[in-house]
Amino acid sequence: MIEARRLHILRAVADHRTVTAAAAALYLTPSAVSQQLTALEQETGHRLVERGAKGVRLTPAGEILLSHTNAVLAQLERAEAELAAYSSGAAGTVTVASFATGIALVVAPAVAHLARTSPGIRLRVLDAEGDASLPMLLDRRIDVAVAVEYRGAPADDPRLAHVPLYAEPFDAVVPVAHRLAGADVVPLAELAKDTWIGPYPGNPCHDVVVLACESAGFQPRLDHSSDDFRAVVALASADAGVALVPRSALRGMDLTGVVVRPVDGVAPTRRVFAAVRRGAEEHPLISPVLDALGAAARE
């Protein structure tokens, strides 16, 4: 009989590619992970992982078991949801991870909404970018991730269920002395030779910026990097370069020294969604949270 907790460990090793990283994600010791993998190999009668200088990779038998693991764990999530519904699990804590603007735009309003409609549900909120929150979700460190679509995101990952929340355009932010500061709209191609300020690679917004510039026919010269859009705008106000910033991130920000203009043509867009582990979307604690996030996004 294969133990489900060992399947969790197999999936973590497949995701993180090293025993040490998988152990850290699961709050276990590397030796405990190795012991559980050995026990799983004994249960299945197959060698499941191969260790090398660059980490751990699954054997063909391990890949077969992993393909079934995703379905098994999703079904266990559904079983937990039905059992919780049966016992009317109307009270508990749900951990939500979101990037900062998402917290302000939908998570904080969802906290207030749940206080009115489901007072037994408490949200624990963590600030994390989408490229970090989705692995946290798969590692079961959080229950809900509010994330942004980005190049390489597991949009069609069978392990996740997605709920679209909202989409918003990016606006061009240029110094007040910039040659395009007086324009009504900013053609991105006109910024091809400028110095750029933007998020670090790995941040979903970095991909939005780079893809928008590529579509305009150039690679942006990103000389300055920050994941904090207040810092990005401050650098632009100091005439350090130009940037693309999500419109909601500019709300309430000190825009002295910069001009904000729409992008000419089809504006680059940030598409935001909530994600849960597949099978958990009907859990009586998680379903109201998804409803509250959706209500906040519509408002």
Side-chain angles (χ1 to χ4, degrees), residues 2-206:
I2 298 174
E3 290 193 20
R5 64 192 176 97
R6 290 175 182 149
L7 295 179
H8 281 294
I9 290 172
L10 179 70
R11 189 163 76 178
V13 168
D15 286 342
H16 295 282
R17 300 298 180 184
T18 70
V19 168
T20 301
L26 297 172
Y27 300 100
L28 297 172
T29 64
S31 62
V33 169
S34 295
Q35 289 169 8
Q36 293 300 318
L37 286 175
T38 299
L40 185 59
E41 289 179 329
Q42 291 172 347
E43 287 173 346
T44 61
H46 291 278
R47 188 178 181 186
L48 302 175
V49 298
E50 292 181 345
R51 294 168 174 81
K54 295 184 178 180
V56 176
R57 69 179 183 87
L58 299 188
T59 64
E63 293 287 355
I64 291 171
L65 183 57
L66 181 65
S67 68
H68 290 283
T69 291
N70 295 329
V72 168
L73 295 182
Q75 191 60 40
L76 286 174
E77 292 280 0
R78 295 186 186 97
E80 289 179 4
E82 289 188 16
L83 287 171
Y86 176 76
S87 61
S88 66
T93 299
V94 176
T95 301
V96 179
S98 171
F99 56 99
T101 310
I103 291 175
L105 219 58
V106 294
V107 178
V111 171
H113 179 88
L114 288 166
R116 297 190 303 269
T117 60
S118 303
I121 298 177
R122 173 182 172 270
L123 285 193
R124 175 173 173 260
V125 181
L126 304 178
D127 187 337
E129 293 296 339
D131 59 316
S133 63
L134 294 177
M136 291 167 68
L137 181 64
L138 290 171
D139 290 337
R140 302 180 68 86
R141 287 181 281 167
I142 62 173
D143 304 301
V144 181
V146 175
V148 178
E149 291 181 6
Y150 63 99
R151 184 161 44 186
D156 298 321
D157 194 320
R159 300 171 293 179
L160 300 177
H162 286 199
V163 177
L165 294 178
Y166 64 92
E168 62 172 326
F170 281 62
D171 289 325
V173 178
V174 301
V176 291
H178 193 273
R179 64 189 181 279
L180 295 178
D184 293 331
V185 295
V186 172
L188 283 185
E190 296 295 320
L191 302 177
K193 295 183 179 180
D194 283 81
T195 298
W196 280 73
I197 312 156
Y200 284 101
N203 184 316
C205 290
H206 173 89

Side-chain angles (χ1 to χ4, degrees), residues 242-253:
V242 300
L244 289 174
V245 177
R247 187 166 293 171
S248 67
L250 294 167
R251 294 178 184 174
M253 194 181 292

